Amino acid sequence: MSIRKKILLYFSLIIPAITALAFVAVYLLFSEQREESFQMRQKDKISTTLEFLSDIKETDEDIIHAMDQININKLYNEKLLLFNKDKKLIYSNIVDIPVPVSKDILIHLNPKTKWIETKDGLYDVVGTYIKRKGRIYYGISKAYDDFGYSKLRFLRYVLLLTFIGITIVIVLVCFYISRKITNPLEEITAKISEYDFDAKLEPIPFVNTHDEIAVLANVFNELMVKMNEAFAFQKHAIHHISHELKTPIAILVSNFERIEKETDPEELKKLIQNQKEDTRSLSEIINSLLEIAKIETSTESITEKFRIDELIFDISDNLRNVYPNFVFSVDYEEPVNQNQLEVAGNARLIKAALSNLMENCIHYSSDEHAVIRISSRDKLEICFENKGKTLTKQEVNYLFKHFFRGKNSAGKKGFGLGLVFVNKIISMHGGSIIYETVPKRINRFKITLH
């Protein structure tokens, strides 16, 4: 069932149901009030009649008949019975209405039970115990409240017609509101279903009303930006991976062919060493792509805490085993904030990013020396500096693009994925990385972590 139909159905059922309950409660309260008010009138009529009779010293039939004619119009269809203390009838008005419950009422009326009320169809029947001037009397009144019932009927018709009118208005209003609410959702749904990843990214237009629909449209636009980036990366990566992996694989095959033909042990050893390095480079490409894919799909959690300088020292020790002649100098810029040296993130990924930058220092250094500067004044900054050929301003614009390699990488092994990998990791941790050229031909990569 659509949201529009649900809104229409729920409100069209709930609100009329609540209204009906309220109207029924009003009707029942009015009915209760009518009955209570009419019974009080019956009691007053019994008291008034008894008072009138007790004040008359003679029992002239004409006087009694005249009294009935006077009172007959006060209560419509009323039968009034008065009894003495022995429960013998001393007065009955002229209206011929049977009171079948009079005996039961008389039996139960006593000094302890002075008031009894009951119903005989639509008639209200009341019995009362009265003590007047030292004498005891019993009165029974059975009457039909024509005026009260007519008002009750009128109220019933008014409530029924009002309920029907309110229900019609509620249905129409709910239909309008449901359309008003769901139309933007239907428009967004239609645009989402027609979304084309191959076409140019066009955000869904929406009025920024700060409601849930505007939030949904905004979140969808942000999601589409990320999806387009991931989709573009996937298309770009597949194209270039298929192209770039051909060359290293072809080189590996070619090396094996040369190894098979080579007979000189020294040359054979050299070829095997080259094959080892080429295989290692291919492995690094594949691992880099896998790590980037993990980052893109958010499968890596950022929960660890570690010291960034301790991680740098660990990487330096590992690299010293492979490049024993290369020296890394780590300088702290005063003052050192010990708390800011601790980073929350994925230690393995950060280590991979720093390792890549430190290996770049090794490969592109002209004097087998690099400086790592750590600053923690306002925010944590790590600078990697090495002397060597620098990049041009035009090359810097493409430095973090897939498979880009500058002119200073001529003759050096690599496939242009390392810095893409580094940029992804640092961005994922809420940081940034920039490249700068320093006078005297110094390359500097500066990482900022917040």
Side-chain angles (χ1 to χ4, degrees), residues 20-183:
L21 289 174
F23 284 179
V24 169
V26 169
Y27 182 81
L28 292 177
L29 288 173
F30 186 84
S31 177
E32 185 71 20
Q33 192 274 336
R34 178 215 63 79
E35 183 176 319
E36 184 177 348
S37 175
F38 186 67
Q39 288 173 354
M40 289 300 101
R41 289 174 60 196
Q42 287 178 280
K43 181 181 179 181
D44 291 341
K45 176 65 181 298
I46 293 173
S47 299
T48 302
T49 303
L50 185 60
E51 182 180 356
F52 186 76
L53 286 175
S54 64
D55 290 341
I56 298 177
K57 303 299 182 180
E58 58 201 285
T59 56
D60 189 282
E61 292 294 335
D62 293 335
I63 295 176
I64 295 174
H65 180 73
M67 185 182 69
D68 283 342
Q69 291 295 333
I70 293 171
N71 294 324
I72 191 73
N73 295 323
K74 290 186 178 180
L75 294 176
Y76 184 71
N77 283 347
E78 179 200 23
K79 182 67 175 179
L80 179 61
L81 303 174
L82 296 176
F83 300 86
N84 60 15
K85 64 178 181 178
D86 299 323
K87 297 186 178 181
K88 291 183 179 180
L89 183 67
I90 60 173
Y91 172 76
S92 174
N93 64 359
I94 62 176
V95 179
D96 188 17
I97 298 176
V99 187
V101 294
S102 60
K103 292 183 180 180
D104 292 335
I105 292 175
L106 281 175
I107 292 172
H108 290 91
L109 283 174
N110 53 61
K112 293 183 178 180
T113 307
K114 297 181 178 182
W115 175 260
I116 295 176
E117 59 185 50
T118 184
K119 298 283 291 184
D120 186 9
L122 295 177
Y123 284 82
D124 292 283
V125 182
V126 297
T128 181
Y129 170 90
I130 302 173
K131 190 173 182 179
R132 178 176 176 79
K133 295 181 179 179
R135 296 181 179 182
I136 296 173
Y137 300 94
Y138 299 91
I140 297 175
S141 173
K142 177 182 178 181
Y144 177 79
D145 187 9
D146 183 67
F147 180 71
Y149 279 121
S150 66
K151 289 201 299 182
L152 203 60
R153 283 193 300 271
F154 179 75
L155 177 63
R156 184 167 61 244
Y157 295 143
V158 169
L159 292 178
L160 181 61
L161 292 175
T162 304
F163 174 76
I164 293 173
I166 290 176
T167 302
I168 293 173
V169 171
I170 288 172
V171 171
L172 294 176
V173 170
C174 289
F175 181 75
Y176 172 78
I177 292 176
S178 64
R179 288 190 61 185
K180 192 77 174 176
I181 293 174
T182 57
N183 277 346

Side-chain angles (χ1 to χ4, degrees), residues 49 52 206 229-230 241 251 305 316 362 364 393 433 441:
T49 303
F52 186 76
F206 65 93
E229 290 177 357
I241 288 171
I251 291 173
K305 284 190 175 181
S316 179
I362 294 172
Y364 294 92
K393 290 184 179 180
I433 179 173
R441 297 173 67 83

Side-chain angles (χ1 to χ4, degrees), residues 239-290:
H239 173 73
H240 286 282
I241 288 171
S242 61
H243 179 268
E244 292 294 333
L245 289 184
K246 281 185 194 176
T247 302
I249 292 174
I251 291 173
L252 292 178
V253 173
S254 176
N255 287 344
F256 276 122
E257 291 175 350
R258 292 175 62 189
I259 290 172
E260 284 181 330
K261 297 176 182 180
E262 187 59 53
T263 57
D264 184 7
E266 291 297 326
E267 189 65 27
L268 184 61
K269 184 178 180 180
K270 184 178 178 181
L271 289 174
I272 292 174
Q273 183 65 31
N274 290 337
Q275 182 75 332
K276 181 181 177 180
E277 292 181 6
D278 289 338
T279 304
R280 179 172 167 274
S281 297
L282 180 60
S283 176
E284 288 177 355
I285 291 175
I286 295 172
N287 288 334
S288 297
L289 292 172
L290 288 175

Side-chain angles (χ1 to χ4, degrees), residues 345-381:
N346 188 306
R348 184 170 62 85
L349 290 178
I350 291 290
K351 184 177 181 179
L354 299 181
S355 295
N356 194 290
L357 290 174
M358 293 172 72
E359 286 192 43
N360 275 357
C361 290
I362 294 172
H363 295 315
Y364 294 92
S365 178
S366 59
D367 59 358
E368 293 190 335
H369 178 257
V371 179
I372 302 175
R373 305 184 191 278
I374 301 176
S375 171
S376 57
R377 292 176 182 173
D378 299 325
K379 48 193 173 182
L380 181 60
E381 291 184 352

Side-chain angles (χ1 to χ4, degrees), residues 183-317:
N183 277 346
L185 289 174
E186 290 180 352
E187 292 176 3
I188 292 176
T189 303
K191 291 175 181 177
I192 291 175
S193 61
E194 297 171 358
Y195 193 85
D196 184 8
F197 280 101
D198 293 323
K200 183 180 178 182
L201 175 63
E202 293 184 3
I204 294 178
F206 65 93
V207 179
N208 192 10
T209 54
H210 303 289
D211 57 9
E212 287 79 359
I213 296 174
V215 172
L216 175 62
N218 187 48
V219 170
F220 176 77
N221 288 336
E222 293 177 357
L223 176 63
M224 285 301 101
V225 171
K226 296 179 181 178
M227 290 290 291
N228 270 272
E229 290 177 357
F231 188 68
F233 168 76
Q234 183 183 23
K235 289 177 63 178
H236 182 79
I238 291 174
H239 173 73
H240 286 282
I241 288 171
S242 61
H243 179 268
E244 292 294 333
L245 289 184
K246 281 185 194 176
T247 302
I249 292 174
I251 291 173
L252 292 178
V253 173
S254 176
N255 287 344
F256 276 122
E257 291 175 350
R258 292 175 62 189
I259 290 172
E260 284 181 330
K261 297 176 182 180
E262 187 59 53
T263 57
D264 184 7
E266 291 297 326
E267 189 65 27
L268 184 61
K269 184 178 180 180
K270 184 178 178 181
L271 289 174
I272 292 174
Q273 183 65 31
N274 290 337
Q275 182 75 332
K276 181 181 177 180
E277 292 181 6
D278 289 338
T279 304
R280 179 172 167 274
S281 297
L282 180 60
S283 176
E284 288 177 355
I285 291 175
I286 295 172
N287 288 334
S288 297
L289 292 172
L290 288 175
E291 292 294 340
I292 292 173
K294 288 179 182 179
I295 296 170
E296 291 288 342
T297 54
S298 300
T299 58
E300 294 291 340
S301 60
I302 306 175
T303 55
E304 305 172 68
K305 284 190 175 181
F306 52 90
R307 286 271 300 244
I308 197 73
D309 54 344
E310 292 177 358
L311 197 61
I312 290 173
F313 288 130
D314 290 340
I315 298 169
S316 179
D317 290 339

